[in-house]
């Protein structure tokens, strides 16, 4: 059973002090050192609600340098009282006959609702008509719907700051909390609209329900939608790179433009965290200049959600001294043993006032190995 506990913490972990680390590899040392993001799936007893995140604290953690490692504060669960056989929320969806999990999964109205649902304005579909709900990054709460209404679910998501994605589905829930006196109560069909501040995909739509005593909770008609937006950050020009991160070569002077990376695991996906880290890195590097030469300054960052076998690892934030255009976005993930790491929801931002001042040998202009983005 999933716990209702939300881990509220402000951990952040440094990736990569070494600027010579190969750019095409994720910084596994940092990934391993960072706390695992909290995964959460609404349980049957949970009431509709919205989760709020402390973005200011997350930003503070993102810019902290040197990076703090604070204790993870887990909110303790109060001792549960025995609530068996108490009524649960009535769902608005139809209850198939016979009232079994098998009939629910095979019920054609659920598939047809999922397959014919319109894609709301400002969103794109990432998966359709699955029998599982998501376990993703940035759980932001949920509400119940009166009908399988993707436009309404999108409207609600738009009103939740951290919501970048939503998962809508039919859930077969018990009408009473199952217990020894009511081990398999009649079902209720609840239509859920779950908000996520992270990437939702078929590979993390893997929560296919659970047994509660002899009652089988199952899910049908599960669709996922992501916002298709490039968040605006003043002073930066952003582009979406889909699911491929930048794989930057050395520049024409043989310099490594990669500065290092951080991973954020305690909030939701917010490009502003990486922007704040980049700006603060510049303040730090300017205050601590090298013995010779100019300090490295972050003018370009790439941020995305890293996933291991579909399961979220956190928000990755890689910083560079110069901008690389989307033709260098070739890093769509990698294998480490049997684990497949993927990069999803990748965005790159360039300092909007920075002018490339790298002069390549044999050239009298500032050119080409670091091409600017075309806006
Ligand atoms: C969902 O369950 C139904 C009934 O078992 C099955 O026919 C269908 O293929 C399942 N869908 C997926 C995507 O696995
Ligand atoms: C962008 O670059 C300019 C000039 O290089 C610098 O003054 C400014 O602080 C930078 N902006 C950010 C947001 O880092």
């Amino acid at each position: 059973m999933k716990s209702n506990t939300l881990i509220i913490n402000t951990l952040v972990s440094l990736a990569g002090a070494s600027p010579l680390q190969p750019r095409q590899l994720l910084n596994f040392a940092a990934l391993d050192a960072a706390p695992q993001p909290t995964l959460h799936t609404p349980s049957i007893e949970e009431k509709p609600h919205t989760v709020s995140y402390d973005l200011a604290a997350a930003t503070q953690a993102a810019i902290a340098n040197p990076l703090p490692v604070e204790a993870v504060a887990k909110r303790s669960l109060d001792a549960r009282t025995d609530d068996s056989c108490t009524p649960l929320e009535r769902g608005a969806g139809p209850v198939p006959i016979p009232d079994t999990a098998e009939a629910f999964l095979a019920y054609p109205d659920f598939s047809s609702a999922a397959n014919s649902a319109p894609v709301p304005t400002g969103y794109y579909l990432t998966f359709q008509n699955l029998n599982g709900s998501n376990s993703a990054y940035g759980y932001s709460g949920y509400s119940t719907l009166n009908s399988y209404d993707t436009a309404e679910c999108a409207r609600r998501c738009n009103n939740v700051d951290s919501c970048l994605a939503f998962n809508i589905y039919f859930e077969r829930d018990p009408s009473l909390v199952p217990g020894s006196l009511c081990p398999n109560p009649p079902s209720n069909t609840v239509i859920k609209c779950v908000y996520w501040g992270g990437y939702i995909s078929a590979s993390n739509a893997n929560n296919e329900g659970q047994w509660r005593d002899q009652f089988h909770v199952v899910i049908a008609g599960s669709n996922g939608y992501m916002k298709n937006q490039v968040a605006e950050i003043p002073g930066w020009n952003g582009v979406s790179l889909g699911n491929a991160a930048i794989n930057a070569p050395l520049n024409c002077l043989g310099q490594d433009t990669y500065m290092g990376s951080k991973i954020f695991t305690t909030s939701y996906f917010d490009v502003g965290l990486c922007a704040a880290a980049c700006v603060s890195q510049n303040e730090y590097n300017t205050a601590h200049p090298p013995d010779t030469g100019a300090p490295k300054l972050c003018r370009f960052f790439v941020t995305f959600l890293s996933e291991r076998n579909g399961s979220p690892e956190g928000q990755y934030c890689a910083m560079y001294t110069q901008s690389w255009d989307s033709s260098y976005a070739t890093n769509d993930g990698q294998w480490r043993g049997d684990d497949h790491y993927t990069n999803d929801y990748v965005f790159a931002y360039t300092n909007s006032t920075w002018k490339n001042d790298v002069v390549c040998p044999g050239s009298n202009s500032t050119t080409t190995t670091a091409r600017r983005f075309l806006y």
Side-chain angles (χ1 to χ4, degrees):
M1 196 189 5
K2 299 273 181 181
S3 104
N4 285 343
T5 311
L6 287 176
I7 295 181
I8 296 161
N9 56 23
T10 51
L11 276 163
V12 68
S13 169
L14 169 65
S18 166
L20 295 176
Q21 171 186 315
R23 292 152 305 282
Q24 64 272 29
L25 296 180
L26 283 174
N27 186 340
F28 285 122
L31 276 182
D32 292 344
Q36 198 61 29
T38 311
L39 301 187
H40 183 96
T41 304
S43 73
I44 58 167
E45 287 97 346
E46 197 171 323
K47 299 269 183 292
H49 65 297
T50 307
V51 173
S52 49
Y53 285 94
D54 188 344
L55 189 60
T59 307
Q60 209 46 50
I63 66 176
N65 197 326
L67 295 138
V69 178
E70 292 164 24
V72 178
K74 283 193 188 181
R75 206 204 304 159
S76 64
L77 265 188
D78 295 328
R80 290 270 178 96
T81 51
D82 182 9
D83 55 358
S84 51
C85 302
T86 58
L88 288 163
E89 187 191 343
R90 286 209 72 79
V95 174
I97 299 168
D99 186 359
T100 62
E102 293 68 33
F104 185 95
L105 287 170
Y107 195 60
D109 288 14
F110 296 156
S111 320
S112 61
N115 286 327
S116 65
V119 177
T121 309
Y123 288 81
Y124 61 94
L125 181 74
T126 58
F127 60 88
Q128 192 163 33
N129 194 29
L130 299 184
N131 298 336
S133 62
N134 298 101
S135 289
Y137 187 62
Y139 175 65
S140 298
Y142 83 100
S143 58
T144 57
L145 296 164
N146 291 327
S147 64
Y148 192 96
D149 185 345
T150 50
E152 174 60 17
C153 190
R155 195 187 62 76
R156 295 180 187 182
C157 175
N158 291 343
N159 287 328
V160 175
D161 284 347
S162 57
C163 190
L164 299 172
F166 68 86
N167 180 205
I168 181 172
Y169 55 90
F170 299 95
E171 184 169 276
R172 180 177 190 264
D173 282 349
S175 53
L176 310 172
V177 177
S180 53
L181 296 175
C182 55
N184 188 12
S187 81
N188 245 332
T189 299
V190 177
I191 306 170
K192 285 191 171 169
C193 166
V194 185
Y195 318 125
W196 290 102
Y199 189 72
I200 61 171
S201 62
S203 54
N204 59 37
N206 50 15
N207 169 31
E208 297 189 338
Q210 55 178 289
W211 286 90
R212 296 298 305 267
D213 212 304
Q214 290 165 39
F215 185 93
H216 198 183
V217 175
V218 288
I219 284 152
S222 174
N223 284 12
Y225 300 88
M226 292 296 310
K227 268 188 189 170
N228 58 18
Q229 62 169 23
V230 179
E232 291 199 8
I233 319 178
W236 296 92
N237 292 324
V239 290
S240 164
L241 296 176
N243 63 357
I246 293 288
N247 199 355
L250 299 180
N251 73 8
C252 62
L253 302 178
Q255 296 164 335
D256 194 345
T257 67
Y258 174 71
M259 297 173 67
S261 55
K262 291 185 172 186
I263 182 156
F264 312 126
T265 61
T266 62
S267 179
Y268 57 96
F269 182 81
D270 186 316
V271 293
L273 293 176
C274 192
C278 177
V279 169
S280 126
Q281 194 67 49
N282 288 352
E283 287 165 5
Y284 182 83
N285 289 6
T286 305
H288 301 87
D291 292 342
T292 55
K296 280 195 164 188
L297 294 179
C298 172
R299 280 90 173 222
F300 175 66
F301 66 84
V302 180
T303 189
F304 55 89
L305 285 160
S306 173
E307 261 120 28
R308 179 166 58 94
N309 307 323
S311 187
E313 291 281 295
Q315 178 182 349
Y316 211 76
C317 167
M319 300 176 221
Y320 299 82
T321 57
Q322 60 187 60
S323 177
W324 297 91
D325 73 22
S326 56
S327 67
Y328 294 95
T330 56
N331 175 0
D332 62 359
Q334 68 197 89
W335 288 87
R336 183 202 203 188
D338 291 336
D339 289 327
H340 191 201
Y341 287 80
T342 50
N343 308 328
D344 289 308
Y345 217 47
V346 185
F347 295 89
Y349 285 79
T350 303
N351 178 322
S352 56
T353 56
W354 169 70
K355 297 277 176 281
N356 187 6
D357 53 3
V358 175
V359 180
C360 295
S363 153
N364 54 10
S365 60
T366 62
T367 52
T368 48
T369 54
R371 285 171 275 168
R372 302 293 312 279
F373 278 123
L374 302 174
Y375 302 112

